[in-house]
Amino acid sequence: MTFDRRIKIAPSILSADFADFGREIRAIEAQGADWVHVDVMDGHFVPNITFGPPAVAAFRKHVTTVMDVHIMIAPVDPFIDAFAKAGADILTAHVEAGPHIHRSLQAIRAAGMKAGVALNPATPASAVSHLLDSVDLVCVMTVNPGFGGQKFIDMSDKVRTLRAMIGDRPIHIEIDGGIDPTTAPLMAAAGADVLVAGSAVFRGGSVENPAPYGVNIAAIRAAAMAAVEKL
Ligand code: DX5
Ligand code: ZN
């Protein structure tokens, strides 16, 4: 993975057909996804359950871009090696998941993955100010994690603060939750480069009819890029 700040669209397979993940992943990649965003939920850190490392390992066989795994679980550390073995390229854990996020991030890198840290809406940018040498990605949640299809919470100020804190460091700013062609420009203008979108990518399409995925991805990308070009 080479680092760049160009806008990247990362469809979340939380909005895919859960009985057909392989074909759904191939469809979104064929329709222009830059990364594939995989949401792991434990029913404890967040009020929903999705899937764990064995499922993520099965997804890996279908991903040819970047597998971006967002773990909404606590504790984190006992599962890091399992996600490395499952083939995660990036593993993003929440700063709120436990008292030792610095240790978790070091363990993620030691296991051979890029390390991401996610911030819930209530958590300030300053929570990561002492972590910047230990992370490759900061994920700003623009919904409370747990479900797809929720209403966007504007975190422009937080993204701007993070962008200034990060400076020239090779750290991605990812936005997760409620991203569509109307909200993507706000986040891109504030300094985000990775836009996760679930419902706004999968709506209107299916594995039998994947063209709407491509239309949706292109619309989010165009809206975000227009905002960046205006800066
Ligand atoms: C929310 C997940 C998101 C979710 C985004 O907890 O982390 O990745 O799938 O879904 P939308 O784009 O529908 O808000
Ligand atoms: Zn996510």
Side-chain angles (χ1 to χ4, degrees):
M1 265 181 78
T2 54
F3 181 84
D4 72 68
R5 274 192 215 292
R6 277 175 296 184
I7 296 293
K8 290 166 281 295
I9 310 299
S12 165
I13 58 168
L14 189 60
S15 294
D17 176 353
F18 270 42
D20 216 347
F21 278 123
R23 283 208 295 165
E24 289 276 43
I25 289 167
R26 295 201 302 274
I28 54 174
E29 289 197 339
Q31 295 295 327
D34 297 288
W35 293 4
V36 175
H37 185 83
V38 175
D39 286 306
V40 175
M41 303 186 185
D42 68 352
H44 164 77
F45 179 69
V46 288
N48 193 9
I49 300 175
T50 54
F51 37 69
V56 176
F59 305 158
R60 175 75 263 179
K61 301 186 193 104
H62 302 276
V63 176
T64 62
T65 56
V66 170
M67 189 161 74
D68 173 35
V69 180
H70 176 196
I71 50 172
M72 288 157 272
I73 68 172
V76 168
D77 295 5
F79 299 99
I80 291 173
D81 284 342
F83 285 109
K85 285 201 186 79
D89 294 302
I90 305 169
L91 191 67
T92 299
H94 272 259
V95 73
E96 306 87 0
H100 299 299
I101 185 68
H102 189 279
R103 175 184 289 147
S104 302
L105 294 168
Q106 287 182 314
I108 290 170
R109 281 186 169 173
M113 298 172 284
K114 299 280 187 199
V117 64
L119 303 177
N120 281 338
T123 304
S126 59
V128 301
S129 61
H130 296 282
L131 298 174
L132 295 179
D133 292 330
S134 307
V135 294
D136 304 289
L137 176 149
V138 178
C139 174
V140 176
M141 296 302 304
T142 38
V143 296
N144 287 295
F147 303 94
Q150 301 183 84
K151 193 175 178 315
F152 175 79
I153 304 167
D154 192 357
M155 291 282 140
S156 298
D157 287 0
K158 194 192 292 189
V159 176
R160 269 193 211 95
T161 304
L162 284 166
R163 186 69 199 84
M165 277 165 59
I166 286 169
D168 291 335
R169 292 179 178 86
I171 300 176
H172 297 290
I173 299 181
E174 175 176 78
I175 308 296
D176 191 0
I179 291 296
D180 63 20
T182 64
T183 55
L186 301 172
M187 298 294 102
D193 61 299
V194 186
L195 302 173
V196 175
S199 42
V201 165
F202 284 89
R203 75 168 55 109
S206 67
V207 285
E208 271 77 38
N209 174 33
Y213 299 167
V215 173
N216 294 337
I217 290 169
I220 297 167
R221 191 192 306 281
M225 286 179 60
V228 172
E229 277 153 21
K230 259 193 235 153
L231 292 178

